[in-house]
């Protein structure tokens, strides 16, 4: 088990997974619980999470993301979809256009860190055909799939990405 800062520092994307190593249900539940503790506007949690283990559906997700066959080979894919209608009920246009997307993204980020803390590997996938993902998952037309988190045990050694320098990003006032 890593501590929080170690988890954040050492997490990196992995796109090859051990084919015969399932993700334990207990870990999956802990990851989902962590995702759902993320802050959200008005505590509305304006998102839905699809847990995809079925190989046929994983292939359908992969088909909606050309060139990203690893989606089909990951034992689990978590798909985070925004629910703008839920946020709009309280926050109107800002809820639909901004808060629902933020709620969803934060939850997915929490999940990705929980994946790392649980000793698993992942990659965040954002490039896909939205309607293709909706069709694969049977989502409503108003739900917006934002990220696919592919999860499994690593079968490659990844490296840490060279992040931008802090002073290139941060202004102290
Ligand atoms: C919004 C977003 C979209 C991304 N889309 C993809 C993608 O479609 N395919 C992919 O292989 N990686 C994707 N990534 C992963 C990034 O390439 C990766 O996080 C980045 O290169 C930094 O590497 P690291 O995760 O190892 O730190 C995405 C990440 C984010 C946050």
């Amino acid at each position: 088990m890593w501590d929080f800062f170690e988890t954040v520092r050492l997490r990196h994307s992995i796109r090859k997974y051990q084919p015969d190593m399932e993700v334990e249900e207990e870990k999956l539940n802990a990851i989902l619980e962590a995702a759902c503790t993320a802050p959200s506007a008005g505590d509305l949690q304006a998102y839905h999470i699809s847990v995809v283990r079925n190989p046929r559906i994983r292939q359908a997700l992969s088909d909606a993301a050309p060139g990203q066959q690893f989606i089909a080979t990951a034992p689990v894919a978590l798909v985070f979809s925004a629910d703008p209608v839920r946020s709009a009920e309280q926050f109107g246009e800002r809820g639909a256009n901004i808060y629902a997307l933020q709620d969803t993204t934060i939850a997915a980020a929490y999940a990705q860190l929980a994946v790392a803390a649980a000793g698993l590997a992942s990659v965040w996938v954002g490039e896909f055909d939205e309607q293709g993902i909706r069709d694969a998952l049977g989502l409503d037309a108003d739900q917006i799939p934002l990220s696919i988190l592919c999860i499994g045990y690593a079968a490659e050694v990844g490296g840490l990405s060279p992040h931008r320098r802090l002073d290139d990003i941060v202004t102290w006032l």
Side-chain angles (χ1 to χ4, degrees):
M1 282 285 179
W2 291 343
D3 84 2
F4 177 76
F5 288 98
E6 235 179 352
T7 299
V8 171
R9 192 173 60 80
L10 296 177
R11 182 216 57 79
H12 56 275
S13 296
I14 291 287
R15 297 174 179 82
K16 279 196 185 131
Y17 311 95
Q18 303 276 352
D20 303 324
M21 284 183 74
E22 293 295 317
V23 175
E24 300 89 331
E25 189 110 5
E26 194 189 6
K27 287 192 176 181
L28 214 40
N29 277 319
I31 291 160
L32 293 166
E33 294 279 356
C36 293
T37 63
S40 66
D43 201 20
L44 291 177
Q45 299 182 265
Y47 50 81
H48 179 78
I49 307 171
S50 309
V51 181
V52 185
R53 292 184 289 191
N54 180 311
R56 188 183 51 78
I57 304 176
R58 285 192 277 122
Q59 186 57 55
L61 294 177
S62 181
D63 292 344
Q68 311 213 70
Q69 183 56 29
F70 58 82
I71 297 171
T73 64
V76 182
L78 300 183
V79 185
F80 290 79
S81 303
D83 182 353
V85 174
R86 186 172 173 83
S87 201
E89 280 166 16
Q90 187 167 331
F91 296 113
E93 233 175 79
R94 192 165 173 81
N97 296 337
I98 296 178
Y99 294 162
L101 308 186
Q102 290 179 326
D103 289 359
T104 310
T105 305
I106 299 165
Y110 270 46
Q112 191 168 33
L113 291 176
V115 167
L120 289 154
S122 73
V123 64
W124 180 304
V125 176
E127 192 175 357
F128 47 70
D129 174 61
E130 232 176 75
Q131 191 52 46
I133 300 295
R134 270 194 208 96
D135 292 344
L137 300 175
L139 295 176
D140 293 343
D142 52 17
Q143 290 179 304
I144 308 170
L146 285 185
S147 68
I148 302 173
L149 213 53
C150 299
I151 302 174
Y153 283 94
E156 66 177 346
V157 180
L160 297 185
S161 294
H163 299 297
R164 285 168 64 193
R165 287 166 49 94
L166 219 54
D167 60 10
D168 191 33
I169 298 176
V170 179
T171 305
W172 296 70
L173 300 169

